[in-house]
Each structure stands twice: as C-alpha cells, then as structure tokens.
Amino acid sequence: MTEAVVADMSTAARPDIVIIGGGVIGSAAAYFLTKDGRAGRVIVLEPDPLYIRAATPRASGGARRLFSRPENILMSNFSISFYQRFAEHCSVDGEAPEIGFRCDGYLFIVPPEGVTTLESNYALQTSLGVEVHLLDRDALRRRLPSMHVEDVGAAAYAPKDGCLEPNGALQGFRRKARAQGAEYLAERVVDLAVHGTAVREVHLASGRVLRPRTVICAAGTWSAQVAAMAGMHLPVEPMQRHDHFWMCRAEIEQLPFVKDLNGLGFHPWDRGYTGSVVDFAIPGGHNWDVDHGYFERVVWPAIAHRVPAMEELRLCDSWVGHYDRNTLDGNMILGNWPGRLDNFYVACGFTGHGLMHAPAVGRALGELILDGGFQTIDLTRMGYQRVLDNEPYAEAGIR
Ligand SMILES: Cc1cc2nc3c(=O)[nH]c(=O)nc-3n(C[C@H](O)[C@H](O)[C@H](O)COP(=O)(O)OP(=O)(O)OC[C@H]3O[C@@H](n4cnc5c(N)ncnc54)[C@H](O)[C@@H]3O)c2cc1C
C-alpha cells in the first residue's frame, strides 16, 4: 500500500487503477484489466458519457492488417479476430453486443512509384500470416470493373479485413467492463499531483481527489493536455478530419474498403458509401466547424476519378471528428516514462488506427500493469522512449 493511500481514509478515493477517458481505448483497457479480478478496483473517468466530442463514435470503422510495422500488423491480427468474436467476449447476461463486423476486404492502391513499398509491405504481411494478394492493373480491373486503374501501379487486397460499427465496440467494451466491476464516473480530470516518480493524486472538476496506485491516460485528442498535468510532454494533437456519407446513382459491384496514397479512403456503408480525403497537412487543434465546400472541392473529384460512376452521386451528410495525431511519426505511444513517471501509462497518438487496435492496446495495458511487461506482442518500440530520443517509427506507404 502506498503512503498516499494510507493518507486518504475514504474508500471512494482509493481505487487501484484510474483510467482517464472512457472511449474505445479506455474501455478496452477497463475490460482487460477487470477480466480476472487481479486489478482490484478500476475507475474510468469519462466526463462526456454520451461521447459527443470523442473520436470513437465518429470513426469510419475500418479494421485492416495492411501495415508496414510488425507491431501494427500483429495488433491487427489479434484485434480483428477479437472483433470477429466480440459477442463471445463481451456478452452480458446472455445479451450480445452488436458491432456488425463485415469482412468486405481492404484494398490499397498505389501509383507506379509506390509499388516497391507496397511489395516489401506485402512480404512482411504475408510472413506474419496475413492473407493479402498483390494485384497488377489488369487483375484489379477484372476484380473491380467500376474502378479507373490507368494511373495505378499495383494494389494490395486483403479479403479478410473489413469494418465494424465503432460505437457498438465502445459500448460493448464499456458494458462488459462494468459487468466485470469497473466503475464509470462522469468526471473530468483537471490536475495530477506528482510526488517522486509517480502520479499520486488525480484531481477532478467536482473537487474530489483520487489516490490510485496506477493511472492510465486514454484521453484521445486531449491526451497531451492531461499528460502535461504530470509534466510529461506528448507530441500528440487534435487533427481535424472530415467524413461524409453519399449515395451513388449507378449500380456497381460490391467494393472493399479502398485507400490510396493521396489520402482518399472510402467504403460501402448501409446503402451508400462513407469516407473522405484525409488531409494530414491540416494545422493541429480542435475545430468543430464543417467545411461544407470540402466534399465538392476535394473529395468528390478524387472519388469520381477512382470510380467514374460516382460522378453522379448524392451527398447526404458531412461531419468532422479529430484524429489524435502523433506529430513525431503517426504511430501510437504506449507505456510509461520509466524512472520519471513509473505508474502513469499513456495510450494515445493513434492517428486514425485506434478503433482497429483497441483490443490489442487494452490487452497490452493489462499486461504492462498486471504482469509487469508485455506477454504477447512486444510493443516496446511503440513506447515513450522513442519520443525522448526523437526517433520516429513511422509506417511506410499508405498510413
Ligand atoms: C473521422 C474519423 C475516422 C476514423 N476512422 C478510423 C478507422 O476507420 N479505423 C480506426 O481504427 N480508427 C479510426 N479513427 C480513429 C479512432 O476513432 C480513434 O483512434 C479512437 O477512437 C481513439 O479512441 P480513444 O478512446 O483514444 O479516444 P476518444 O474516443 O476520443 O475517447 C477519449 C475520451 O477521453 C475523455 N477525456 C478527455 N479529456 C479528459 C479529462 N481531462 N478527464 C477525463 N476524461 C477525458 C473524452 O471525453 C473522450 O471521451 C477515425 C477517427 C476519425 C475522427
């Protein structure tokens, strides 16, 4: 028992683990931590229980294994299998959560100058057990006749990847974590008190103070703000991201989740399509204003170029959300700051991959905190040390 716990006589103030942020990452962590009772008392602090501003419910739902870093591929292998059996893992009282996982496949398309990278990524992916097929221009044309392929160098097609309903995953993890004993409080963290090499106090907007043994920061686009309360600098900022839903008038074949090197990403959803062109150059910061000209100016031309039948479409809705962009290298930052903040674990900087990796991240946090180190996938290279060393560990090719 720590001296800080001894100092506080209120049970409510003495959780073992406090998770800051109850989005899909915080809730997946709560699920894995409460699975076998070893974690003790777990409290999740989530000031926005309807998730109005959270990234999770705004995600496109894509889940793919097409990465270039082994850690990301292995996390996807585990997470996609987990999502496929989500009902088995997260049912409560016989009631199964619905996440609508669909195996529509994932397609990465690159121009001739992107082929070498696509091929070396393909070699790594297949060596790690991913089913992926390299398609040349003719093979792509035969598979997807609606697609314009004249400017394509090659494509990688992963038929077992797909998409899921983000809010379903978040609510499923949350409900199961609560059933396993996690407590969710509608509270915002306003300060953290550090003594020695640990966060000893978590100060809430209501005036309450919690004194946990361990703290997880899973505050999404607010993570840098929260970590700064403990003196930890994170190169993570909100990155505005438009998304749209449209209907296509023409009948075309079933498309997979399509992504290209220019940032275009879209996939079938309901009776239409959802997606956008991701602008990684946009300045950081929360911006909730929808640019209603963005679709017509940027997205529509890109879609119509790739699928000419979509020159005629009906835009139904546009909205914005935010990536928690890691400005160092676009990959997640997972773990503590050894020797400086031993009991404070961050899980953020997902830059558009947090939903698909949430099960693996939740499991990894459980291993770090309950077992003292990674037991399944070694995610050391995704840790904070590379930030301190200023050594980016980025994806190659499509991000
Ligand atoms: C348009 C869009 C499309 C995307 N598409 C995909 C995709 O196809 N596939 C994919 O894998 N990912 C995708 N993403 C990324 C994905 O949504 C995120 O990586 C993921 O949801 C991050 O989850 P999170 O729990 O870290 O963050 P969030 O869901 O944002 O949750 C963080 C929570 O922290 C809480 N919080 C903040 N400050 C505090 C505080 N001081 N105290 C307590 N709590 C606090 C917030 O209220 C919030 O609910 C997309 C994102 C966007 C915006």
Side-chain angles (χ1 to χ4, degrees):
M1 192 182 279
T2 63
E3 61 183 58
V5 170
V6 174
D8 191 290
M9 296 312 291
S10 136
T11 350
R14 283 191 251 146
D16 293 286
I17 300 173
V18 159
I19 301 175
I20 303 172
V24 75
I25 296 296
S27 295
Y31 162 78
F32 279 97
L33 283 163
T34 52
K35 244 170 104 79
D36 63 7
R38 281 189 297 154
R41 185 139 182 249
V42 176
I43 289 185
V44 183
L45 302 170
E46 176 46 70
D48 173 16
L50 295 179
Y51 299 100
I52 305 292
R53 299 256 145 142
T56 304
R58 289 163 196 261
S60 311
R64 59 168 154 106
R65 297 170 173 92
L66 297 177
F67 284 97
S68 67
R69 293 297 186 189
E71 290 87 348
N72 282 333
I73 299 171
L74 293 169
M75 286 199 296
S76 293
N77 277 344
F78 171 72
S79 297
I80 292 174
S81 313
F82 186 95
Y83 278 138
Q84 283 174 314
R85 299 170 67 173
F86 198 71
E88 213 174 286
H89 296 298
C90 290
S91 289
V92 176
D93 297 333
E95 210 179 294
E98 188 44 70
I99 61 165
F101 187 90
R102 289 202 339 236
C103 233
D104 291 343
Y106 240 91
L107 183 78
F108 272 17
I109 43 185
V110 300
E113 60 273 22
V115 173
T116 310
T117 304
L118 194 80
E119 284 174 348
S120 71
N121 292 351
Y122 163 84
L124 178 68
Q125 289 150 8
T126 49
S127 77
L128 293 174
V130 181
E131 181 176 343
V132 50
H133 307 282
L134 275 186
L135 306 177
D136 62 15
R137 200 180 299 160
D138 288 338
L140 182 58
R141 189 186 286 116
R142 279 196 302 279
R143 187 177 282 275
L144 299 171
S146 71
M147 203 167 265
H148 171 74
V149 297
E150 293 319 311
D151 59 343
V152 171
Y157 175 59
K160 302 231 167 104
D161 295 359
C163 62
L164 61 132
E165 216 282 276
N167 198 41
L170 162 51
Q171 297 299 337
F173 273 129
R174 179 179 162 125
R175 188 151 183 263
K176 185 67 179 182
R178 291 180 76 175
Q180 292 175 165
E183 297 161 58
Y184 278 69
L185 303 183
E187 289 267 22
R188 179 180 304 283
V189 174
V190 292
D191 203 5
L192 299 170
V194 177
H195 299 293
T197 64
V199 171
R200 296 289 186 207
E201 294 178 346
V202 178
H203 293 249
L204 308 181
S206 63
R208 289 178 70 186
V209 178
L210 304 179
R211 298 182 172 87
R213 272 193 295 117
T214 305
V215 181
I216 295 175
C217 172
T221 57
W222 298 270
S223 293
Q225 206 176 304
V226 170
M229 296 172 192
M232 182 181 194
H233 166 73
L234 290 176
V236 175
E237 63 181 15
M239 173 190 133
Q240 192 203 42
R241 159 89 155 74
H242 278 81
D243 221 353
H244 316 272
F245 178 74
W246 67 91
M247 312 278 265
C248 173
R249 294 189 204 287
E251 285 282 323
I252 57 172
E253 72 278 8
Q254 170 77 28
L255 295 180
F257 201 124
V258 178
K259 275 181 89 92
D260 75 17
L261 259 182
N262 301 324
L264 173 66
F266 69 99
H267 65 109
W269 191 255
D270 197 16
R271 280 180 292 161
Y273 298 86
T274 181
S276 193
V277 172
V278 184
D279 177 7
F280 285 99
I282 199 164
H286 285 118
N287 177 359
W288 298 99
D289 297 334
V290 176
D291 173 355
H292 288 284
Y294 189 71
F295 186 82
E296 193 158 338
R297 226 171 42 243
V298 179
V299 185
W300 196 358
I303 299 167
H305 171 77
R306 191 52 62 210
V307 182
M310 290 201 193
E311 247 160 46
E312 278 193 62
L313 54 74
R314 185 163 62 85
L315 176 64
C316 306
D317 201 5
S318 296
W319 61 94
V320 290
H322 297 83
Y323 281 0
D324 50 334
R325 169 168 61 188
N326 175 351
T327 56
L328 178 72
D329 60 19
N331 269 322
M332 71 170 184
I333 304 170
L334 181 78
N336 64 351
W337 183 4
R340 286 293 295 275
L341 285 177
D342 290 319
N343 73 339
F344 184 72
Y345 294 82
V346 301
C348 61
F350 294 98
T351 324
H353 311 147
L355 174 70
M356 66 182 90
H357 284 154
V361 172
R363 183 178 68 168
L365 284 164
E367 291 171 357
L368 280 177
I369 292 165
L370 301 179
D371 303 312
F374 297 119
Q375 306 295 306
T376 51
I377 307 171
D378 183 356
L379 297 172
T380 310
R381 297 205 59 182
M382 295 290 183
Y384 188 57
Q385 193 59 43
R386 78 186 194 282
V387 177
L388 297 170
D389 298 340
N390 196 24
E391 277 182 5
Y393 188 56
E395 281 292 312
I398 294 172
R399 287 186 273 183

